[in-house]
PDB file of all heavy atoms in Angstrom:
ATOM      1  N   ARG J 249      66.440  30.989  94.173  1.00 95.00           N
ATOM      2  CA  ARG J 249      67.754  31.035  93.545  1.00 95.00           C
ATOM      3  C   ARG J 249      67.569  31.180  92.040  1.00 95.00           C
ATOM      4  O   ARG J 249      66.703  30.540  91.442  1.00 95.00           O
ATOM      5  CB  ARG J 249      68.469  29.700  93.831  1.00 95.00           C
ATOM      6  CG  ARG J 249      69.934  29.657  93.480  1.00 95.00           C
ATOM      7  CD  ARG J 249      70.612  28.472  94.145  1.00 95.00           C
ATOM      8  NE  ARG J 249      70.185  27.197  93.579  1.00 95.00           N
ATOM      9  CZ  ARG J 249      70.802  26.571  92.573  1.00 95.00           C
ATOM     10  NH1 ARG J 249      71.872  27.096  92.011  1.00 95.00           N
ATOM     11  NH2 ARG J 249      70.348  25.410  92.122  1.00 95.00           N
ATOM     12  N   VAL J 250      68.365  32.045  91.433  1.00 96.00           N
ATOM     13  CA  VAL J 250      68.419  32.103  89.972  1.00 96.00           C
ATOM     14  C   VAL J 250      69.437  31.048  89.553  1.00 96.00           C
ATOM     15  O   VAL J 250      70.636  31.187  89.798  1.00 96.00           O
ATOM     16  CB  VAL J 250      68.839  33.501  89.477  1.00 96.00           C
ATOM     17  CG1 VAL J 250      68.963  33.518  87.957  1.00 96.00           C
ATOM     18  CG2 VAL J 250      67.828  34.546  89.949  1.00 96.00           C
ATOM     19  N   VAL J 251      68.966  29.963  88.961  1.00 97.00           N
ATOM     20  CA  VAL J 251      69.827  28.825  88.656  1.00 97.00           C
ATOM     21  C   VAL J 251      70.720  29.128  87.458  1.00 97.00           C
ATOM     22  O   VAL J 251      71.917  28.874  87.479  1.00 97.00           O
ATOM     23  CB  VAL J 251      68.972  27.558  88.386  1.00 97.00           C
ATOM     24  CG1 VAL J 251      69.860  26.365  88.064  1.00 97.00           C
ATOM     25  CG2 VAL J 251      68.085  27.263  89.580  1.00 97.00           C
ATOM     26  N   GLU J 252      70.111  29.669  86.418  1.00 96.00           N
ATOM     27  CA  GLU J 252      70.894  29.997  85.221  1.00 96.00           C
ATOM     28  C   GLU J 252      70.126  31.005  84.376  1.00 96.00           C
ATOM     29  O   GLU J 252      68.910  30.941  84.271  1.00 96.00           O
ATOM     30  CB  GLU J 252      71.171  28.711  84.409  1.00 96.00           C
ATOM     31  CG  GLU J 252      72.308  28.890  83.427  1.00 96.00           C
ATOM     32  CD  GLU J 252      72.862  27.591  82.835  1.00 96.00           C
ATOM     33  OE1 GLU J 252      72.522  26.491  83.345  1.00 96.00           O
ATOM     34  OE2 GLU J 252      73.611  27.683  81.854  1.00 96.00           O
ATOM     35  N   SER J 253      70.844  31.934  83.765  1.00 97.00           N
ATOM     36  CA  SER J 253      70.248  32.888  82.825  1.00 97.00           C
ATOM     37  C   SER J 253      71.068  32.865  81.557  1.00 97.00           C
ATOM     38  O   SER J 253      72.287  33.052  81.605  1.00 97.00           O
ATOM     39  CB  SER J 253      70.226  34.301  83.407  1.00 97.00           C
ATOM     40  OG  SER J 253      69.308  34.381  84.466  1.00 97.00           O
ATOM     41  N   LEU J 254      70.414  32.647  80.436  1.00 96.00           N
ATOM     42  CA  LEU J 254      71.114  32.480  79.165  1.00 96.00           C
ATOM     43  C   LEU J 254      70.518  33.403  78.118  1.00 96.00           C
ATOM     44  O   LEU J 254      69.376  33.840  78.243  1.00 96.00           O
ATOM     45  CB  LEU J 254      70.959  31.046  78.664  1.00 96.00           C
ATOM     46  CG  LEU J 254      71.512  29.943  79.567  1.00 96.00           C
ATOM     47  CD1 LEU J 254      70.847  28.619  79.233  1.00 96.00           C
ATOM     48  CD2 LEU J 254      73.016  29.862  79.394  1.00 96.00           C
ATOM     49  N   GLN J 255      71.282  33.621  77.065  1.00 97.00           N
ATOM     50  CA  GLN J 255      70.766  34.359  75.916  1.00 97.00           C
ATOM     51  C   GLN J 255      70.984  33.475  74.693  1.00 97.00           C
ATOM     52  O   GLN J 255      72.114  33.163  74.346  1.00 97.00           O
ATOM     53  CB  GLN J 255      71.528  35.686  75.770  1.00 97.00           C
ATOM     54  CG  GLN J 255      71.089  36.547  74.611  1.00 97.00           C
ATOM     55  CD  GLN J 255      69.667  37.084  74.765  1.00 97.00           C
ATOM     56  OE1 GLN J 255      69.273  37.545  75.820  1.00 97.00           O
ATOM     57  NE2 GLN J 255      68.883  36.991  73.696  1.00 97.00           N
ATOM     58  N   SER J 256      69.910  33.039  74.062  1.00 96.00           N
ATOM     59  CA  SER J 256      70.054  32.250  72.832  1.00 96.00           C
ATOM     60  C   SER J 256      70.034  33.198  71.639  1.00 96.00           C
ATOM     61  O   SER J 256      69.974  34.420  71.810  1.00 96.00           O
ATOM     62  CB  SER J 256      68.917  31.236  72.720  1.00 96.00           C
ATOM     63  OG  SER J 256      67.729  31.904  72.328  1.00 96.00           O
ATOM     64  N   ASP J 257      70.057  32.658  70.434  1.00 95.00           N
ATOM     65  CA  ASP J 257      69.948  33.518  69.250  1.00 95.00           C
ATOM     66  C   ASP J 257      68.582  34.195  69.172  1.00 95.00           C
ATOM     67  O   ASP J 257      68.394  35.151  68.423  1.00 95.00           O
ATOM     68  CB  ASP J 257      70.142  32.680  67.976  1.00 95.00           C
ATOM     69  CG  ASP J 257      71.574  32.181  67.854  1.00 95.00           C
ATOM     70  OD1 ASP J 257      72.454  32.741  68.539  1.00 95.00           O
ATOM     71  OD2 ASP J 257      71.808  31.226  67.094  1.00 95.00           O
ATOM     72  N   PHE J 258      67.611  33.679  69.940  1.00 93.00           N
ATOM     73  CA  PHE J 258      66.242  34.163  69.775  1.00 93.00           C
ATOM     74  C   PHE J 258      65.656  34.855  70.990  1.00 93.00           C
ATOM     75  O   PHE J 258      64.742  35.649  70.869  1.00 93.00           O
ATOM     76  CB  PHE J 258      65.324  32.990  69.381  1.00 93.00           C
ATOM     77  CG  PHE J 258      65.795  32.285  68.150  1.00 93.00           C
ATOM     78  CD1 PHE J 258      66.586  31.146  68.238  1.00 93.00           C
ATOM     79  CD2 PHE J 258      65.485  32.792  66.903  1.00 93.00           C
ATOM     80  CE1 PHE J 258      67.035  30.517  67.094  1.00 93.00           C
ATOM     81  CE2 PHE J 258      65.931  32.164  65.752  1.00 93.00           C
ATOM     82  CZ  PHE J 258      66.724  31.019  65.849  1.00 93.00           C
ATOM     83  N   GLN J 259      66.168  34.517  72.179  1.00 93.00           N
ATOM     84  CA  GLN J 259      65.492  35.018  73.371  1.00 93.00           C
ATOM     85  C   GLN J 259      66.341  34.821  74.626  1.00 93.00           C
ATOM     86  O   GLN J 259      67.328  34.094  74.623  1.00 93.00           O
ATOM     87  CB  GLN J 259      64.162  34.279  73.557  1.00 93.00           C
ATOM     88  CG  GLN J 259      64.316  32.769  73.716  1.00 93.00           C
ATOM     89  CD  GLN J 259      63.020  32.025  73.441  1.00 93.00           C
ATOM     90  OE1 GLN J 259      61.933  32.525  73.690  1.00 93.00           O
ATOM     91  NE2 GLN J 259      63.134  30.806  72.933  1.00 93.00           N
ATOM     92  N   ARG J 260      65.912  35.484  75.679  1.00 95.00           N
ATOM     93  CA  ARG J 260      66.475  35.288  77.003  1.00 95.00           C
ATOM     94  C   ARG J 260      65.814  34.066  77.635  1.00 95.00           C
ATOM     95  O   ARG J 260      64.595  33.873  77.522  1.00 95.00           O
ATOM     96  CB  ARG J 260      66.199  36.532  77.853  1.00 95.00           C
ATOM     97  CG  ARG J 260      66.716  36.393  79.247  1.00 95.00           C
ATOM     98  CD  ARG J 260      66.360  37.575  80.125  1.00 95.00           C
ATOM     99  NE  ARG J 260      66.785  37.232  81.459  1.00 95.00           N
ATOM    100  CZ  ARG J 260      67.607  37.968  82.199  1.00 95.00           C
ATOM    101  NH1 ARG J 260      68.037  39.122  81.757  1.00 95.00           N
ATOM    102  NH2 ARG J 260      67.976  37.556  83.397  1.00 95.00           N
ATOM    103  N   ILE J 261      66.614  33.237  78.296  1.00 96.00           N
ATOM    104  CA  ILE J 261      66.117  32.015  78.942  1.00 96.00           C
ATOM    105  C   ILE J 261      66.559  32.034  80.403  1.00 96.00           C
ATOM    106  O   ILE J 261      67.741  32.175  80.684  1.00 96.00           O
ATOM    107  CB  ILE J 261      66.691  30.759  78.251  1.00 96.00           C
ATOM    108  CG1 ILE J 261      66.327  30.744  76.759  1.00 96.00           C
ATOM    109  CG2 ILE J 261      66.212  29.492  78.949  1.00 96.00           C
ATOM    110  CD1 ILE J 261      67.016  29.645  75.951  1.00 96.00           C
ATOM    111  N   ASP J 262      65.606  31.899  81.327  1.00 97.00           N
ATOM    112  CA  ASP J 262      65.925  31.876  82.765  1.00 97.00           C
ATOM    113  C   ASP J 262      65.419  30.591  83.414  1.00 97.00           C
ATOM    114  O   ASP J 262      64.306  30.155  83.138  1.00 97.00           O
ATOM    115  CB  ASP J 262      65.286  33.062  83.481  1.00 97.00           C
ATOM    116  CG  ASP J 262      65.889  34.396  83.062  1.00 97.00           C
ATOM    117  OD1 ASP J 262      67.053  34.657  83.396  1.00 97.00           O
ATOM    118  OD2 ASP J 262      65.177  35.162  82.386  1.00 97.00           O
ATOM    119  N   ILE J 263      66.256  30.037  84.267  1.00 98.00           N
ATOM    120  CA  ILE J 263      65.833  28.917  85.113  1.00 98.00           C
ATOM    121  C   ILE J 263      65.845  29.421  86.548  1.00 98.00           C
ATOM    122  O   ILE J 263      66.888  29.878  87.042  1.00 98.00           O
ATOM    123  CB  ILE J 263      66.798  27.717  84.994  1.00 98.00           C
ATOM    124  CG1 ILE J 263      66.946  27.273  83.547  1.00 98.00           C
ATOM    125  CG2 ILE J 263      66.332  26.566  85.893  1.00 98.00           C
ATOM    126  CD1 ILE J 263      65.743  26.587  82.972  1.00 98.00           C
ATOM    127  N   LEU J 264      64.688  29.357  87.212  1.00 97.00           N
ATOM    128  CA  LEU J 264      64.560  29.884  88.570  1.00 97.00           C
ATOM    129  C   LEU J 264      64.105  28.770  89.506  1.00 97.00           C
ATOM    130  O   LEU J 264      63.318  27.908  89.119  1.00 97.00           O
ATOM    131  CB  LEU J 264      63.529  31.026  88.593  1.00 97.00           C
ATOM    132  CG  LEU J 264      63.712  32.138  87.546  1.00 97.00           C
ATOM    133  CD1 LEU J 264      62.531  33.100  87.582  1.00 97.00           C
ATOM    134  CD2 LEU J 264      65.020  32.891  87.778  1.00 97.00           C
ATOM    135  N   GLU J 265      64.586  28.836  90.729  1.00 97.00           N
ATOM    136  CA  GLU J 265      64.200  27.832  91.735  1.00 97.00           C
ATOM    137  C   GLU J 265      63.243  28.491  92.732  1.00 97.00           C
ATOM    138  O   GLU J 265      63.547  29.563  93.254  1.00 97.00           O
ATOM    139  CB  GLU J 265      65.481  27.368  92.447  1.00 97.00           C
ATOM    140  CG  GLU J 265      65.305  26.251  93.438  1.00 97.00           C
ATOM    141  CD  GLU J 265      65.184  24.893  92.772  1.00 97.00           C
ATOM    142  OE1 GLU J 265      65.930  24.642  91.795  1.00 97.00           O
ATOM    143  OE2 GLU J 265      64.334  24.106  93.214  1.00 97.00           O
ATOM    144  N   THR J 266      62.094  27.857  92.984  1.00 97.00           N
ATOM    145  CA  THR J 266      61.129  28.393  93.956  1.00 97.00           C
ATOM    146  C   THR J 266      60.693  27.286  94.907  1.00 97.00           C
ATOM    147  O   THR J 266      60.794  26.113  94.582  1.00 97.00           O
ATOM    148  CB  THR J 266      59.852  28.926  93.254  1.00 97.00           C
ATOM    149  OG1 THR J 266      59.062  27.808  92.808  1.00 97.00           O
ATOM    150  CG2 THR J 266      60.175  29.812  92.081  1.00 97.00           C
ATOM    151  N   LYS J 267      60.217  27.696  96.079  1.00 93.00           N
ATOM    152  CA  LYS J 267      59.700  26.702  97.023  1.00 93.00           C
ATOM    153  C   LYS J 267      58.311  26.235  96.616  1.00 93.00           C
ATOM    154  O   LYS J 267      57.986  25.073  96.723  1.00 93.00           O
ATOM    155  CB  LYS J 267      59.608  27.321  98.431  1.00 93.00           C
ATOM    156  CG  LYS J 267      60.831  27.090  99.267  1.00 93.00           C
ATOM    157  CD  LYS J 267      60.573  27.324 100.740  1.00 93.00           C
ATOM    158  CE  LYS J 267      61.899  27.372 101.473  1.00 93.00           C
ATOM    159  NZ  LYS J 267      62.788  28.475 100.973  1.00 93.00           N
ATOM    160  N   ASP J 268      57.495  27.177  96.142  1.00 92.00           N
ATOM    161  CA  ASP J 268      56.079  26.862  95.945  1.00 92.00           C
ATOM    162  C   ASP J 268      55.799  26.126  94.634  1.00 92.00           C
ATOM    163  O   ASP J 268      54.888  25.304  94.576  1.00 92.00           O
ATOM    164  CB  ASP J 268      55.268  28.163  95.983  1.00 92.00           C
ATOM    165  CG  ASP J 268      54.000  28.015  96.795  1.00 92.00           C
ATOM    166  OD1 ASP J 268      53.928  27.072  97.586  1.00 92.00           O
ATOM    167  OD2 ASP J 268      53.094  28.839  96.630  1.00 92.00           O
ATOM    168  N   PHE J 269      56.564  26.391  93.589  1.00 96.00           N
ATOM    169  CA  PHE J 269      56.294  25.795  92.279  1.00 96.00           C
ATOM    170  C   PHE J 269      57.468  24.982  91.753  1.00 96.00           C
ATOM    171  O   PHE J 269      57.468  24.567  90.599  1.00 96.00           O
ATOM    172  CB  PHE J 269      55.893  26.882  91.266  1.00 96.00           C
ATOM    173  CG  PHE J 269      54.474  27.349  91.442  1.00 96.00           C
ATOM    174  CD1 PHE J 269      54.159  28.316  92.384  1.00 96.00           C
ATOM    175  CD2 PHE J 269      53.439  26.805  90.691  1.00 96.00           C
ATOM    176  CE1 PHE J 269      52.853  28.734  92.566  1.00 96.00           C
ATOM    177  CE2 PHE J 269      52.128  27.219  90.865  1.00 96.00           C
ATOM    178  CZ  PHE J 269      51.836  28.190  91.801  1.00 96.00           C
ATOM    179  N   GLY J 270      58.485  24.755  92.592  1.00 96.00           N
ATOM    180  CA  GLY J 270      59.662  24.033  92.117  1.00 96.00           C
ATOM    181  C   GLY J 270      60.429  24.891  91.121  1.00 96.00           C
ATOM    182  O   GLY J 270      60.426  26.116  91.205  1.00 96.00           O
ATOM    183  N   ARG J 271      61.072  24.251  90.156  1.00 97.00           N
ATOM    184  CA  ARG J 271      61.849  24.983  89.152  1.00 97.00           C
ATOM    185  C   ARG J 271      60.947  25.607  88.093  1.00 97.00           C
ATOM    186  O   ARG J 271      59.953  25.007  87.705  1.00 97.00           O
ATOM    187  CB  ARG J 271      62.796  24.011  88.458  1.00 97.00           C
ATOM    188  CG  ARG J 271      64.224  24.366  88.694  1.00 97.00           C
ATOM    189  CD  ARG J 271      65.156  23.302  88.173  1.00 97.00           C
ATOM    190  NE  ARG J 271      66.237  23.102  89.110  1.00 97.00           N
ATOM    191  CZ  ARG J 271      67.063  22.075  89.092  1.00 97.00           C
ATOM    192  NH1 ARG J 271      66.925  21.131  88.176  1.00 97.00           N
ATOM    193  NH2 ARG J 271      68.021  21.987  89.973  1.00 97.00           N
ATOM    194  N   LEU J 272      61.324  26.794  87.636  1.00 97.00           N
ATOM    195  CA  LEU J 272      60.570  27.481  86.589  1.00 97.00           C
ATOM    196  C   LEU J 272      61.428  27.646  85.340  1.00 97.00           C
ATOM    197  O   LEU J 272      62.627  27.931  85.440  1.00 97.00           O
ATOM    198  CB  LEU J 272      60.160  28.893  87.037  1.00 97.00           C
ATOM    199  CG  LEU J 272      59.484  29.080  88.395  1.00 97.00           C
ATOM    200  CD1 LEU J 272      59.125  30.563  88.563  1.00 97.00           C
ATOM    201  CD2 LEU J 272      58.242  28.218  88.505  1.00 97.00           C
TER     202      LEU J 272
END
Side-chain angles (χ1 to χ4, degrees):
Chain J
R249 191 164 69 92
V250 177
V251 180
E252 198 166 348
S253 291
L254 299 159
Q255 180 66 44
S256 76
D257 291 342
F258 304 95
Q259 60 199 328
R260 178 184 174 125
I261 302 172
D262 293 291
I263 304 288
L264 309 173
E265 185 79 41
T266 74
K267 267 197 192 60
D268 223 19
F269 283 83
R271 243 172 221 166
L272 310 183

